[in-house]
Amino acid sequence: DAKTTQPTSMDCAEGRAANLPCNHSTISGNEYVYWYRQIHSQGPQYIIHGLKNNETNEMASLIITEDRKSSTLILPHATLRDTAVYYCIVRVGSSGAGSYQLTFGKGTKLSVIP
Amino acid sequence: IAGITQAPTSQILAAGRRMTLRCTQDMRHNAMYWYRQDLGLGLRLIHYSNTAGTTGKGEVPDGYSVSRANTDDFPLTLASAVPSQTSVYFCASTARVGTEAFFGQGTRLTVV
């Protein structure tokens, strides 16, 4: 599996954009970048994923550098409910339908401050 | 509501006892996973199953076993529980390559 590196913690003012970086310098060509978050003691929640192009959905935007060695998750207008641990994951390539693992690191603890 | 269900929600277990954590999904997902989460260590993969009938070892498989007799169920068994297995356990599933993972609500296990 390609490894990821994330800052341990970050703060963000409520209403401002939260930019969470992730380094994945050993990513291979067929590996996707996934982002999940975990609020309190709940199960992780999927946010977004991408391969090469930038992606946007109702929750966030994902910016992947051209060399694919790093990415940034952007929460455009952070709210207090966005306080969570955010995980950046690089998915192992598949050898068949549904055949891949999800390996989580320690993530970034984002604190949104009023 | 479709999703992934874990049971029990929490359990206190005497050391040396056998325990099976249950996980069921009704989304017909191919792949399923078991993770444990400990303070300061994040989520660590215990075992996974790419499809019914197959299983694989994750990062921390020792002391745990799994089976995947059908698509929907993926039980995790502790044959002889030890205090170091005190943790929160999460089950997850994914439909196929490139799709999101769904997680259960977790099982909080305390081995005393």
Side-chain angles (χ1 to χ4, degrees):
Chain A
D1 296 1
K3 300 297 184 183
T4 62
T5 303
Q6 298 177 253
T8 302
S9 63
M10 293 180 63
D11 292 338
C12 178
E14 187 178 17
R16 303 295 295 271
N19 297 281
L20 293 95
C22 180
N23 287 320
H24 32 78
S25 59
T26 60
I27 192 171
S28 61
N30 64 344
E31 290 180 317
Y32 290 76
V33 180
Y34 280 77
W35 283 84
Y36 287 79
R37 73 180 182 183
Q38 188 173 24
I39 298 173
H40 297 302
S41 57
Q42 299 177 21
Q45 174 191 22
Y46 166 82
I47 301 173
I48 198 167
H49 75 280
L51 181 63
K52 294 180 181 179
N53 299 323
N54 298 337
E55 301 288 343
T56 296
N57 62 20
E58 66 278 5
M59 290 182 68
S61 295
L62 173 61
I63 308 299
I64 302 175
T65 58
E66 188 171 349
D67 63 8
R68 301 186 71 240
K69 292 184 177 181
S70 65
S71 61
T72 300
L73 178 75
I74 301 172
L75 308 178
H77 304 287
T79 69
L80 299 179
R81 289 176 296 178
D82 292 322
T83 292
V85 177
Y86 287 77
Y87 296 97
C88 170
I89 299 162
V90 174
R91 178 177 60 78
V92 175
S94 169
S95 61
S99 173
Y100 68 96
Q101 300 185 42
L102 289 175
T103 302
F104 286 74
K106 296 183 181 180
T108 296
K109 180 174 175 53
L110 175 69
S111 298
V112 180
I113 302 169
Chain B
I1 298 176
I4 186 164
T5 303
Q6 293 183 233
T9 303
S10 65
Q11 181 76 46
I12 298 174
L13 183 69
R17 297 296 296 271
R18 180 184 180 90
M19 174 77 188
T20 295
L21 307 185
R22 300 184 298 278
C23 178
T24 299
Q25 52 100 358
D26 60 2
M27 298 172 284
R28 308 302 293 173
H29 284 177
N30 284 322
M32 297 186 74
Y33 312 82
W34 273 105
Y35 294 87
R36 61 176 290 173
Q37 186 168 37
D38 305 291
L39 189 63
L41 294 178
L43 283 153
R44 293 184 291 169
L45 181 65
I46 305 171
H47 285 286
Y48 66 94
S49 170
N50 291 332
T51 188
T54 67
T55 62
K57 294 181 179 180
E59 183 184 359
V60 288
D62 294 343
Y64 305 95
S65 64
V66 291
S67 61
R68 187 86 184 278
N70 57 61
T71 297
D72 297 344
D73 301 300
F74 191 43
L76 176 74
T77 297
L78 291 68
S80 179
V82 295
S84 62
Q85 292 177 311
T86 293
S87 187
V88 180
Y89 292 85
F90 288 102
C91 180
S93 70
T94 57
R96 60 187 184 279
V97 171
T99 60
E100 66 191 87
F102 289 80
F103 282 81
Q105 78 277 21
T107 294
R108 183 174 297 275
L109 179 67
T110 303
V111 182
V112 297

